[in-house]
């Protein structure tokens, strides 16, 4: 994602995809990440491959490990170029849906590679809240609200939805046990016990790799000065 953000900041428009890297039938199943592509029909037999190819070249898709993530500005989605309103503001209409067997508890909004907005999950979040996500998810519609921002320059926006603390994709998609005990794991377990070594300790490796919900949109571009050109950024964002 960081590399892709750098490409976007330098004017290189590349469509982000979610793709399987599956070597077995257990643990890393094929088809966990999916790509939803904008189409003029929902009838499979009527889908035009050329239309789908063109949509992908235009960044009109999003990649997901579960959440269905929609972001619109003035009714226009990923790959579109929009203008700010008369006050210089951009209003991102964000909608997240998911089945109730996994949780979405974090939304991140990025402008030009910089994280500008975080919406977190809370057990006390009202069902119709605009500033938080209910945890656990109790309905298909997880979030439906507008986030405003004033870019002040040409910009692009990407939104990421994920599940960090709630239910993951198991057991529909299996987690992968990490069965190993090498020197690194041994040092991890000894350093908390030996005071002289505590400064060397690192976070414990997980004993199981859990498949977590995750979705990322392709960018929406903002032509702030109206010259028809989205100027590339020169500086690295301070993430």
């Amino acid at each position: 994602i960081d590399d892709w953000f750098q490409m976007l900041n330098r004017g290189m428009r590349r469509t982000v995809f979610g793709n399987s890297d599956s070597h077995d039938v257990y643990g890393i199943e094929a088809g966990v990440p999916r790509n939803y592509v904008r189409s003029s029909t929902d009838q499979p037999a009527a889908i035009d491959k050329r239309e789908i190819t063109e949509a992908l070249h235009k960044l009109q898709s999003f990649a997901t490990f579960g959440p269905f993530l929609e972001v619109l500005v003035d009714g226009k989605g990923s790959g579109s170029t929009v203008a700010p309103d008369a006050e210089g503001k951009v209003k991102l209409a964000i909608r997240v849906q998911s089945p109730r067997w996994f949780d979405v508890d974090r939304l991140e909004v990025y402008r030009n590679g910089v994280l500008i907005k975080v919406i977190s999950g809370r057990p006390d979040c009202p069902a119709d809240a605009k500033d938080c996500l209910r945890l656990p998810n109790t309905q298909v519609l997880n979030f439906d609200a507008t986030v405003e921002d004033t870019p002040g320059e040409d910009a692009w926006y990407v939104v990421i939805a994920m599940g960090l603390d709630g239910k993951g994709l198991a057991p529909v998609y299996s987690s992968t046990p990490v069965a190993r005990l090498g020197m690194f794991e041994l040092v991890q377990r000894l350093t908390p016990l030996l005071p002289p070594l505590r400064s060397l300790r690192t976070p414990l490796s997980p004993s199981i790799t859990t498949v977590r919900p995750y979705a990322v949109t392709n960018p929406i571009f903002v032509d702030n000065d109206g010259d028809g050109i989205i100027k590339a950024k020169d500086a690295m964002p301070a993430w």
Side-chain angles (χ1 to χ4, degrees):
I1 293 294
D2 289 352
D3 292 339
W4 178 55
F5 281 177
Q6 291 290 343
M7 294 169 72
L8 291 173
N9 273 348
R10 284 158 176 75
M12 299 173 64
R13 297 193 181 189
R14 297 294 184 271
T15 307
V16 71
F17 290 105
N19 300 288
S20 303
D21 183 17
S22 304
H23 299 262
D24 206 339
V25 295
Y26 176 79
I28 310 177
E29 297 100 327
V32 180
R34 291 177 170 84
N35 298 286
Y36 287 89
V37 187
R38 185 168 296 279
S39 171
S40 60
T41 178
D42 58 3
Q43 299 296 321
I47 291 176
D48 185 340
K49 294 180 181 179
R50 291 169 297 182
E51 179 190 21
I52 298 301
T53 301
E54 183 178 358
L56 291 174
H57 279 293
K58 292 181 177 179
L59 289 73
Q60 296 174 347
S61 67
F62 71 93
T64 179
F65 268 62
F68 195 88
L69 175 59
E70 299 171 275
V71 181
L72 300 173
V73 177
D74 295 333
K76 297 180 180 180
S78 296
S80 301
T81 299
V82 300
D85 64 17
E87 298 178 348
K89 294 182 178 181
V90 175
K91 299 177 181 179
L92 294 93
I94 304 173
R95 195 165 188 254
V96 184
Q97 300 176 81
S98 74
R100 290 177 292 177
W101 55 267
F102 66 77
D103 294 322
V104 178
D105 56 23
R106 182 178 172 92
L107 284 176
E108 298 179 344
V109 180
Y110 290 85
R111 185 215 314 132
N112 292 343
V114 178
L115 180 61
I116 62 169
K117 179 77 173 179
V118 174
I119 299 169
S120 301
R122 299 201 322 257
D124 61 343
C125 181
D128 58 349
K130 307 299 183 183
D131 60 350
C132 62
L133 292 150
R134 187 172 180 84
L135 185 65
N137 292 347
T138 58
Q139 56 188 19
V140 171
L141 183 60
N142 309 136
F143 186 82
D144 190 4
T146 299
V147 172
E148 293 187 1
D149 183 52
T150 304
E153 59 183 341
D154 288 352
W156 53 264
Y157 290 88
V158 163
V159 178
I160 297 177
M162 66 187 78
L164 296 178
D165 300 318
K167 301 185 294 292
L169 300 186
V172 175
Y173 290 101
S174 56
S175 302
T176 305
V178 182
R180 61 174 184 256
L181 183 59
M183 181 59 70
F184 180 70
E185 289 76 23
L186 188 61
V187 170
Q188 282 184 316
R189 283 157 177 78
L190 286 178
T191 49
L193 303 176
L194 303 174
L197 299 179
R198 285 179 182 170
S199 63
L200 303 176
R201 64 183 173 181
T202 57
L204 290 175
S205 296
S207 59
I208 193 166
T209 300
T210 303
V211 182
R212 289 288 181 184
Y214 187 91
V216 54
T217 67
N218 272 287
I220 296 176
F221 300 92
V222 177
D223 184 3
N224 188 70
D225 53 17
D227 63 357
I229 301 173
I230 306 298
K231 296 181 178 65
K233 303 288 290 183
D234 294 326
M236 177 180 290
W239 49 57

